Amino acid sequence: MGEFQVTSKVNTCLKGLERQKELRSGQVKIQEAQQELREGQIKLDENIKDGQTKIEGTIDRNHAKIEESHSKIEEGTKRAVMRFKMVCWVCGKQLRTRAPEVRSPGSLKHSLLAIDTSKSNQRCSILSTVMPPDPKIFGRREYIERAVELLFLTPGARIAILGPGGMGKTSAALKVIHDSLVVERFGENRCWIPCEQATSAPLFVELVAKSLNLPLSSSSDRLAEIIAFLKSSKVLYILLFDNLEAPWDIEGQQSNVAGVLTAIGFIPSVSFIITMRGNQHPSSHTIE
């Protein structure tokens, strides 16, 4: 009987140990499951945060695109309205029956600039100021439209097209000056001045006079005649000074060339375009 009791107690202890072992194994599994839950929660939080970041980035990009689209639409609308106003002005002008008169050039009592042009008349006859045809170019549409608007809406507009050689400055300027609205605005008073033909300041002045169809003169103050003619005219003029760097780069002639531009620039009825190599305007008084 004593052996049976001992055996029974041993079996009971063994069963208790197995249960404890099972309990510990269950606890380990619970701990492992809890660890997996924590890791899963961390990954879930990371995924949620990453998703939020991506969503916010997408929203920001979409907002930027929307703002850019709104800006383009607003700019396009402004340009369309501006173009419409210009067309209306053209239509109104065509309805007017009386054309403006052109006065003959007057005389000035005082010289505006001391440039002796008496010796340049001999060479002026070989100079050509015939306007080149409308060029075919690709691109630069926005720039050309802005330039046309400026010339159409701003009295005495000044436009400088600067840059290295071969970039199409002359083509862009000719495209502007041949635009239908510019033609309607200035008519035949669109003058092309090929400055590469001006090998001196006096010849530069004669080139301007020739582009304005002024007769040859023996006056030593040709610039005064030009200014008097432009001031007395009741029409708008636009002058295209093409390749201005030619006379500008002549040693000792910059002040004279700048003086011509400044004198013409003070006449509100005269607009002009300058094409010039480089990145500096020739005169702060006359260029915008």
Side-chain angles (χ1 to χ4, degrees):
M1 192 69 182
E3 291 180 0
F4 176 78
Q5 291 178 348
V6 171
T7 302
S8 177
K9 289 181 179 180
V10 169
N11 290 335
T12 301
C13 289
L14 291 174
K15 289 180 180 180
L17 291 172
E18 290 178 357
R19 288 176 182 175
Q20 288 179 353
K21 185 178 180 180
E22 291 176 355
L23 287 174
R24 283 195 295 270
S25 176
Q27 289 176 347
V28 170
K29 290 180 178 180
I30 290 172
Q31 291 175 353
E32 291 176 350
Q34 290 176 341
Q35 181 64 27
E36 290 179 357
L37 286 174
R38 284 193 294 269
E39 292 176 353
Q41 184 64 43
I42 292 172
K43 290 182 178 180
L44 180 61
D45 292 339
E46 291 177 351
N47 291 335
I48 291 174
K49 186 176 180 179
D50 184 57
Q52 288 176 340
T53 302
K54 290 181 178 179
I55 291 172
E56 290 174 356
T58 302
I59 292 174
D60 291 340
R61 287 192 296 272
N62 289 338
H63 281 167
K65 290 181 179 179
I66 291 173
E67 291 178 358
E68 183 180 358
S69 299
H70 285 169
S71 178
K72 289 182 178 179
I73 292 172
E74 184 178 358
E75 181 66 20
T77 302
K78 288 181 180 179
R79 299 183 73 83
V81 171
M82 194 72 67
R83 200 79 177 178
F84 177 74
K85 289 180 179 179
M86 290 189 289
V87 172
C88 290
W89 185 92
V90 170
C91 294
K93 181 180 178 182
Q94 291 175 347
L95 292 176
R96 293 191 287 269
T97 57
R98 185 166 180 240
E101 299 177 354
V102 179
R103 297 182 184 177
S104 59
S107 60
L108 291 184
K109 294 182 179 180
H110 301 286
S111 171
L112 293 177
L113 188 64
I115 300 178
D116 186 2
T117 58
S118 58
K119 296 181 181 179
S120 61
N121 293 338
Q122 296 177 355
R123 297 185 59 187
C124 189
S125 59
I126 68 173
L127 299 176
S128 174
T129 58
V130 177
M131 179 77 71
D134 187 2
K136 293 182 179 180
I137 64 174
F138 300 94
R140 303 184 183 276
R141 178 180 176 182
E142 182 178 353
Y143 172 81
I144 291 171
E145 288 183 353
R146 287 175 56 194
V148 169
E149 290 175 7
L150 180 63
L151 291 171
F152 197 92
L153 299 174
T154 307
R158 313 285 181 254
I159 298 175
I161 305 177
L162 309 176
M167 66 172 292
K169 299 184 294 297
T170 296
S171 295
L174 288 173
K175 198 68 180 176
V176 171
I177 209 168
H178 279 292
D179 185 272
S180 58
L181 289 172
V182 175
V183 173
E184 183 64 36
R185 180 72 162 167
F186 295 94
E188 296 298 323
N189 303 315
R190 296 170 297 120
C191 305
W192 178 61
I193 305 170
C195 299
E196 70 274 5
Q197 300 185 30
T199 56
S200 65
L203 197 58
F204 175 61
V205 174
E206 279 299 332
L207 200 61
V208 176
K210 186 173 179 64
S211 71
L212 295 171
N213 294 320
L214 295 182
L216 293 175
S217 171
S218 60
S219 172
S220 62
D221 199 351
R222 190 66 157 153
L223 180 58
E225 294 182 353
I226 294 172
I227 300 303
F229 170 75
L230 292 173
K231 284 185 175 181
S232 63
S233 297
K234 291 185 177 180
V235 294
L236 300 175
Y237 275 88
I238 177 170
L239 310 181
L240 169 52
F241 294 94
D242 194 19
N243 295 316
L244 184 66
E245 73 277 356
W248 182 261
D249 290 339
I250 298 174
E251 185 177 358
Q253 296 298 318
Q254 286 189 2
S255 60
N256 289 334
V257 175
V260 174
L261 295 177
T262 302
I264 296 175
F266 282 131
I267 304 174
S269 60
V270 178
S271 299
F272 57 73
I273 303 174
I274 285 174
T275 70
M276 186 176 182
R277 293 188 181 187
N279 56 10
Q280 288 186 341
H281 297 159
S283 174
S284 60
H285 297 290
T286 56
I287 307 299
E288 293 181 358

